[in-house]
Amino acid sequence: MKLADNKATLSFSDGKPSIDLPMYQGTVGPDVIDIRKLYGQTGMFTYDPGFLSTASCQSAITYIDGDKGELLYRGYPIEQLATNCDFMETCHLLLYGNLPDAAGKEDFTKRVTNHTMVNEQMQFFLRGFRRDAHPMAIMTGLVGALSAFYHDSTDINNPQHREISALRLIAKMPTLVAMAYKYSMGQPYMYPKNNLSYAGNFMHMMFATPCEEYVVNPVIERAMDRIFVLHADHEQNASTSTVRLCGSSGTNPFAAIAAGVACLWGPAHGGANEACLNMLEDIQKTGGIAKVGEFMEQVKDKNSGVKLMGFGHRVYKNYDPRAKLMQETCKEVLAALGLENDPLFKLAMALEKIALEDDYFVSRKLYPNVDFYSGIVQRAIGIPVNMFTGVFALARTVGWIAQLNEMISDPEYKIGRPRQLFTGSVKRDVLPISQR
Ligand code: ACO
């Protein structure tokens, strides 16, 4: 963090003395005003619900330029990573800051695959859930429960514990997601196969049965891998900030990641891919493309409470670059499976076309986000709609872990403790119950 040449001066209209606030420059992107001493100097807090103008940390992992529609992991554009690298390389990049060479990749992949199995007891824990439980409810429980099984990697202040918990989480998430799916289907769990790729092994654990091998279609394997790469990190989004805040108390990494899973579940965040697919299916059921205009009128009517799911983003005010890549993958997968005329894909394209030309969306800078197409890809692959967010959580785990470990290694890190503007009652006395 580099001190900027200029300072910010905060002045008050009521004659209180003004104060100077230091400013810092990042390598790229907006400067920040350091308000850490504001309360000490003025007795005042800043007010920023939703963190619209607040940088909660310094980070060297992911950079987004929302106006340009640019996403960089450790400086590398997402388009180049999605085209030239696989998920294991991306994980290495996010965790350690550099892309591995061939030997480094092999070594890292071995270290991950070493941990793909979960403690056999986990299946008994899983049995406590109803078969129709939402997979994200199960995932929140399972990920948190890992801390009950891996006691040698729960000390967040120990770098070796952090390293081993990172590898364990990346390796075990596909196993847990697949177990949640198999449990809901009443099918036996499939053990991981370490000779398969990360994506291929996930497909195997999801779709193989003890009586039938699952032969991985390379187009689908590549699509799955791309979904993982595109969702791997996204700087200080809601779930990542949750992981950082949770981890800032010194809790163990499994508990912090479980908090991230819980946050991701919401429809305004990772749950949007499920909500988007449900929306497309609802429109399809009620008349399909012919009803698109009517649906859009509802979206634009503020009183309807209807949103175009998969559209809009807090940071991207231009196209979400991941959406472009996902649309490309969507076309490839549908072609490989002979589903070029998939009605939901056609519907999504029709909605996108209208939205991109409609003043409501254009004036608010609302564009498709990654989830607009990822649901169609996953559905074509055979992943049930309620598993979509679990797949997102699997992919985002590496980002959460990289951000958590970065925070713990930052000498400036403190327990996260926001303040508030209190608007409740002033001090008052409790009356005896007969007088209330
Ligand atoms: N459909 C219709 N209107 C929308 C949409 C949408 N999808 N998104 C935003 N708007 C409107 C808002 O109503 C608001 O209108 P107003 O200015 O007239 O009041 C304006 O656009 C700005 O929207 P905000 O909600 O203030 O934007 P914010 O940055 O807070 O929200 C969010 C971003 C939560 C992603 C929002 O766009 C949304 O709910 N989208 C749908 C859900 C979704 O797809 N989420 C996935 C995000 S990506 C991810 O997590 C991987």
Side-chain angles (χ1 to χ4, degrees):
M1 202 157 70
K2 188 174 151 233
L3 204 59
D5 295 336
N6 48 340
K7 288 180 178 157
T9 302
L10 181 63
S11 58
F12 302 91
S13 56
D14 62 358
K16 279 199 194 89
S18 62
I19 57 161
D20 284 339
L21 297 164
M23 288 175 58
Y24 297 102
Q25 288 175 331
T27 42
V28 60
D31 294 350
V32 297
I33 303 170
D34 182 351
I35 55 162
R36 281 176 289 183
K37 297 210 171 114
L38 183 74
Y39 179 58
Q41 289 180 346
T42 67
M44 276 180 252
F45 300 136
T46 54
Y47 180 63
D48 187 17
F51 300 101
L52 294 172
S53 298
T54 298
S56 60
C57 61
Q58 52 174 316
S59 179
I61 302 175
T62 292
Y63 176 72
I64 303 173
D65 185 326
D67 293 323
K68 280 199 213 152
E70 184 175 74
L71 168 62
L72 313 174
Y73 293 165
R74 301 274 189 191
Y76 296 107
I78 192 67
E79 293 81 0
Q80 292 183 30
L81 291 169
T83 315
N84 302 315
C85 301
D86 68 12
F87 186 61
M88 279 294 96
E89 292 165 79
T90 306
C91 287
H92 189 285
L93 174 68
L94 290 170
L95 285 178
Y96 307 116
N98 62 298
L99 281 169
D101 59 14
K105 180 179 173 182
E106 198 187 324
D107 172 64
F108 177 70
T109 307
K110 259 195 205 139
R111 286 193 292 134
V112 170
T113 47
N114 205 17
H115 294 285
T116 47
M117 285 207 302
V118 293
N119 189 297
E120 205 64 4
Q121 286 287 113
M122 284 298 271
Q123 38 178 298
F124 303 113
F125 178 66
L126 196 70
R127 264 191 218 164
F129 290 99
R130 283 170 56 139
R131 294 261 176 198
D132 61 355
H134 193 285
M136 286 300 277
I138 297 181
M139 286 307 294
T140 314
L142 289 186
V143 176
L146 288 176
S147 52
F149 291 97
Y150 301 101
H151 295 156
D152 57 346
S153 52
T154 50
D155 179 3
I156 210 161
N157 294 311
N158 179 328
Q160 276 160 342
H161 281 219
R162 293 206 296 273
E163 168 79 8
I164 185 93
S165 61
L167 296 174
R168 280 188 171 138
L169 276 155
I170 294 166
K172 293 182 198 306
M173 280 299 273
T175 314
L176 296 180
V177 174
M179 282 172 83
Y181 173 61
K182 289 295 195 191
Y183 183 72
S184 73
M185 297 291 287
Q187 288 183 6
Y189 309 120
M190 297 302 294
Y191 285 106
K193 273 195 170 181
N194 289 352
N195 60 338
L196 297 174
S197 71
Y198 189 88
N201 175 49
F202 176 59
M203 309 296 297
H204 151 78
M205 290 189 291
M206 287 284 290
F207 300 120
T209 67
C211 23
E212 231 169 274
E213 270 292 306
Y214 177 81
V215 183
V216 187
N217 174 332
V219 177
I220 292 177
E221 185 180 8
R222 180 74 199 137
M224 203 70 242
D225 190 82
R226 181 173 271 195
I227 289 177
F228 297 159
V229 171
L230 297 186
H231 288 85
D233 195 45
H234 216 225
E235 51 117 308
Q236 309 312 319
N237 57 84
S239 58
T240 302
S241 300
T242 301
V243 169
R244 279 185 179 257
L245 191 57
C246 183
S248 77
S249 72
T251 191
N252 72 77
F254 304 107
I257 301 304
V261 173
C263 176
L264 189 76
W265 191 359
H269 191 14
N273 50 17
E274 178 176 348
C276 179
L277 216 278
N278 287 336
M279 172 193 81
L280 293 174
E281 281 179 342
D282 284 349
I283 304 174
Q284 188 61 24
K285 268 187 230 142
T286 55
I289 289 191
K291 293 282 176 186
V292 161
E294 212 174 284
F295 175 74
M296 285 306 221
E297 288 312 310
Q298 281 183 325
V299 169
K300 292 191 277 178
D301 174 5
K302 288 277 166 192
N303 300 321
S304 72
V306 178
K307 274 196 168 177
L308 181 54
M309 300 313 286
F311 253 72
H313 197 274
R314 169 61 59 82
V315 182
Y316 293 119
K317 300 301 173 194
N318 193 318
Y319 216 87
D320 175 348
R322 302 167 303 170
K324 267 188 201 158
L325 292 157
M326 197 40 76
Q327 194 201 57
E328 201 179 283
T329 298
C330 194
K331 282 184 187 155
E332 274 167 30
V333 167
L334 295 177
L337 297 175
L339 297 170
E340 292 94 335
N341 293 320
D342 178 60
L344 288 199
F345 181 62
K346 294 220 148 135
L347 191 57
M349 299 280 279
L351 281 168
E352 181 180 354
K353 186 168 184 302
I354 295 182
L356 294 181
E357 287 165 2
D358 189 303
D359 187 54
Y360 174 93
F361 295 92
V362 175
S363 62
R364 289 172 177 77
K365 300 189 174 172
L366 300 170
Y367 295 91
N369 59 53
V370 65
D371 289 329
F372 197 63
Y373 288 107
S374 72
I376 301 174
V377 177
Q378 293 191 58
R379 177 173 159 274
I381 291 175
I383 297 171
V385 177
N386 68 0
M387 293 295 304
F388 291 178
T389 316
V391 171
F392 189 163
L394 179 178
R396 182 57 57 85
T397 294
V398 62
W400 288 330
I401 278 281
Q403 300 266 354
L404 179 65
N405 288 351
E406 181 185 64
M407 177 187 77
I408 303 294
S409 322
D410 183 346
E412 298 209 330
Y413 122 78
K414 287 187 180 329
I415 184 167
R417 197 346 181 149
R419 305 304 296 254
Q420 64 174 7
L421 176 67
F422 183 67
T423 56
S425 170
V426 293
K427 188 174 169 191
R428 51 184 167 166
D429 292 322
V430 174
L431 291 174
I433 196 161
S434 58
Q435 292 172 31
R436 284 176 222 159

